Amino acid sequence: MERGKMAEAESLETAAEHERILREIESTDTACIGPTLRSVYDGEEHGRFMEKLETRIRNHDREIEKMCNFHYQGFVDSITELLKVRGEAQKLKNQVTDTNRKLQHEGKELVIAMEELKQCRLQQRNISATVDKLMLCLPVLEMYSKLRDQMKTKRHYPALKTLEHLEHTYLPQVSHYRFCKVMVDNIPKLREEIKDVSMSDLKDFLESIRKHSDKIGETAMKQAQQQRNLDNIVLQQPRIGSKRKSKKDAYTIFDTEIESTSPKSEQDSGILDVEDEEDDEEVPGAQDLVDFSPVYRCLHIYSVLGARETFENYYRKQRRKQARLVLQPPSNMHETLDGYRKYFNQIVGFFVVEDHILHTTQGLVNRAYIDELWEMALSKTIAALRTHSSYCSDPNLVLDLKNLIVLFADTLQVYGFPVNQLFDMLLEIRDQYSETLLKKWAGIFRNILDSDNYSPIPVTSEEMYKKVVGQFPFQDIEVEKQPFPKKFPFSEFVPKVYNQIKEFIYACLKFSEDLHLSSTEVDDMIRKSTNLLLTRTLSNSLLNVIKRKNIGLTELVQIIINTTHLEKSCKYLEEFITNITNVLPETVHTTKLYGTTTFKDARHAAEEEIYTNLNQKIDQFLQLADYDWMTGDFGNKASDYLVDLIAFLRSTFAVFTHLP
């Protein structure tokens, strides 16, 4: 019984388990039913489970059948309605198909238009993007075009500024474009091109100023000449209440005496004569004659490129070379004044340009560089002048050269260059000038003495008398009281020699002008030169005449008379020098004239020559005469040779009666 209970209990558990499995099968997804079925087959009651499963299926079929029977009429009605709906749907489908066909036909153009619109919108978007990019690139291209135009028109400094602006401002904004990379790669080439072109302009400028330095110097010296003329006009204004006559007054006094015999007036010296109408015109400066912009542009360009030092060294090196060329004088410079003038013009032009560069640029040249060039120029110029002036034998050319050197020195002094060495050299040239004057006056004196007739000057009218007295300071009351015609005791060479001595003094004075010498120095120079003229030149000329073989006693006597009057005129020469130098004879260290000694020595030589000639004449008279020295008649009749001798001596001593 217990076994029966146990079997019954097991069957109940099996039934409950099968029921659970069935419910699980009904509620579980078919994909997950495998484990459930495995549990059935793992057990021993799968037969009974199959029975229960069949039973459960039959139950569900009965329920379905009941459900179908209950809903059959509705299902039929639904099927009927569905069939109706199918017909309507077919109609609707046909209508939709027809409508779609019509719509497709009608919308074909719209589709095409929409495609076109789509393309237009795409193009518009592309154009807009392109415009934006072009607006970004356009300033770059404009700047590059501007750069090319500036380089084409040779505006290199603005071109360099444009290049810097393009490189640092515009190109970084469009650096991803290929043309931008080309521009970036081309920038160093453009810089080098600007650098090379600016250097080429500088070379053209250096060549231009080398060629035009002559004109620049001529203009600068003309300016200095005009300034000197203005200064002279101011200095020559008459001083009110002045008791002593000025140098100009002295010139005015004696101009009437020497107007016809003056060797060369100051206006004829040929030193840059400036006409009156030119005085009122403004003479252009160096900046008006030369375009300095290439130097400034090149300097700025090299400064921007960081190569300023290279530029400065190149400029200074080239200008040193040009300075050496300018300072090399032509071999025939000493032949004409124009040779010296051109030489000075080139030097002045060179330093005027350098002075302008010094004051208009910052550091391109400095004062030390200018001073170095000037020291070299000064030494070479002085050496050249010493060499070439030594060949000059014409005092007028030496005087013109002196005036030109003074103008040259004054011009450069205006620009701040020291010129003391030039004036020191002029003192050396002064000695040479004095020697050339002495040689010239030796010829003048020789011509005067050779052409003189050694006879007293006859005058037949008061006018002739005043003319001679105006030329030579002669005062003699007895001669003045004599009626016309009458004679001066001296011959014509006396007033001529006197005037030529004054001409010599004038010539010496002209050289001393503008040398910045004191009146005492000028007076001393004139007196020393005049002493040389009297003691050497005039004295030798007189001795040569006195020692001539064919000179007669009458000429020797007239020479004694002439030298006596010239000796008396020495005090007037002293006064003449005093008037033109404004230095009183009583001043300490004033040199005295040796004219008295000169004329005394000449007179003594003439007297000795007279004595010698007289003895020779007597000896010749006695040797040549044919006399009977052994006469036997001692009557009252004198010997013939004594009669002839007395007659000769009487005529000879008659000449001596005119001696003072």
Side-chain angles (χ1 to χ4, degrees), residues 207-254:
E207 180 65 19
S208 174
I209 60 175
R210 186 186 69 81
K211 292 180 179 178
H212 294 89
S213 60
D214 187 9
K215 181 64 177 177
I216 298 171
E218 180 183 358
T219 303
M221 293 181 73
K222 185 178 291 186
Q223 287 178 322
Q225 179 70 53
Q226 290 181 352
Q227 185 60 44
R228 284 177 56 187
N229 292 342
L230 292 175
D231 294 342
N232 289 337
I233 291 174
V234 174
L235 293 175
Q236 290 172 2
Q237 295 295 329
R239 298 180 181 180
I240 300 176
S242 177
K243 294 183 180 181
R244 181 166 296 279
K245 297 175 182 178
S246 66
K247 187 185 302 183
K248 180 69 178 177
D249 297 332
Y251 278 139
T252 305
I253 292 173
F254 293 102

Side-chain angles (χ1 to χ4, degrees), residues 58-225:
R58 285 193 297 269
N59 289 335
H60 281 296
D61 288 340
R62 284 193 296 271
E63 288 179 359
I64 292 171
E65 186 177 356
K66 288 180 182 180
M67 182 69 65
C68 289
N69 291 331
F70 180 77
H71 293 287
Y72 177 75
Q73 186 63 40
F75 177 74
V76 172
D77 293 338
S78 299
I79 293 298
T80 303
E81 290 180 1
L82 182 60
L83 292 174
K84 291 180 181 179
V85 169
R86 187 178 67 176
E88 294 296 329
Q90 187 63 37
K91 292 180 181 178
L92 181 60
K93 177 182 177 182
N94 293 334
Q95 290 178 357
V96 170
T97 302
D98 186 55
T99 302
N100 180 60
R101 185 175 63 253
K102 292 180 180 179
L103 182 62
Q104 290 293 332
H105 182 269
E106 296 295 334
K108 188 175 183 179
E109 295 180 358
L110 179 61
V111 171
I112 295 174
M114 289 299 293
E115 286 295 329
E116 292 178 353
L117 179 61
K118 179 182 177 182
Q119 292 296 326
C120 288
R121 290 290 175 84
L122 181 61
Q123 291 177 359
Q124 184 181 10
R125 188 165 56 250
N126 291 339
I127 290 173
S128 178
T130 303
V131 169
D132 293 339
K133 299 301 181 183
L134 285 176
M135 292 301 293
L136 190 62
C137 296
L138 191 59
V140 178
L141 298 175
E142 289 177 348
M143 289 295 290
Y144 193 79
S145 176
K146 179 181 178 182
L147 173 63
R148 280 299 183 185
D149 291 340
Q150 288 172 338
M151 294 187 66
K152 186 176 181 180
T153 56
K154 296 185 177 181
R155 299 169 58 207
H156 303 118
Y157 182 66
L160 190 61
K161 289 295 184 182
T162 303
L163 186 62
E164 295 290 328
H165 204 42
L166 178 66
E167 181 182 16
H168 296 100
T169 304
Y170 290 94
L171 288 179
Q173 300 176 4
V174 291
S175 58
H176 54 283
Y177 292 109
R178 187 167 56 186
F179 80 89
C180 176
K181 295 179 181 178
V182 173
M183 287 185 181
V184 171
D185 294 339
N186 202 30
I187 283 177
K189 299 178 182 178
L190 292 174
R191 280 201 177 95
E192 286 300 319
E193 182 179 352
I194 292 174
K195 190 175 179 181
D196 293 341
V197 173
S198 63
M199 179 57 69
S200 176
D201 291 343
L202 176 66
K203 291 178 180 178
D204 293 340
F205 167 79
L206 292 175
E207 180 65 19
S208 174
I209 60 175
R210 186 186 69 81
K211 292 180 179 178
H212 294 89
S213 60
D214 187 9
K215 181 64 177 177
I216 298 171
E218 180 183 358
T219 303
M221 293 181 73
K222 185 178 291 186
Q223 287 178 322
Q225 179 70 53

Side-chain angles (χ1 to χ4, degrees), residues 393-459:
S393 58
D394 182 7
N396 292 330
L397 181 57
V398 177
L399 179 62
D400 290 343
L401 175 60
K402 165 259 171 183
N403 291 332
L404 191 59
I405 294 174
V406 170
L407 183 58
F408 170 71
D410 290 345
T411 303
L412 290 171
Q413 193 171 28
V414 170
Y415 290 93
F417 296 100
V419 294
N420 292 334
Q421 294 184 42
L422 288 173
F423 285 101
D424 293 340
M425 184 205 61
L426 282 174
L427 297 181
E428 300 176 13
I429 296 180
R430 179 188 64 184
D431 297 335
Q432 178 187 348
Y433 176 70
S434 297
E435 290 298 323
T436 57
L437 285 180
L438 292 174
K439 292 179 181 178
K440 178 180 179 179
W441 257 261
I444 293 174
F445 288 147
R446 183 170 58 252
N447 293 334
I448 291 175
L449 295 176
D450 290 344
S451 62
D452 192 55
N453 58 8
Y454 296 95
S455 299
I457 301 175
V459 290

Side-chain angles (χ1 to χ4, degrees), residues 239 244-248 430 505 508-509 512-528 576-585 587-591:
R239 298 180 181 180
R244 181 166 296 279
K245 297 175 182 178
S246 66
K247 187 185 302 183
K248 180 69 178 177
R430 179 188 64 184
I505 294 172
C508 294
L509 179 65
S512 66
E513 291 176 346
D514 302 318
L515 293 184
H516 309 295
L517 300 174
S518 65
S519 299
T520 304
E521 291 174 322
V522 173
D523 182 85
D524 184 68
M525 184 268 290
I526 291 176
R527 291 177 183 272
K528 287 181 178 179
F576 177 74
I577 296 175
T578 299
N579 285 331
I580 63 176
T581 61
N582 291 329
V583 176
L584 297 177
T587 305
V588 181
H589 305 304
T590 299
T591 304

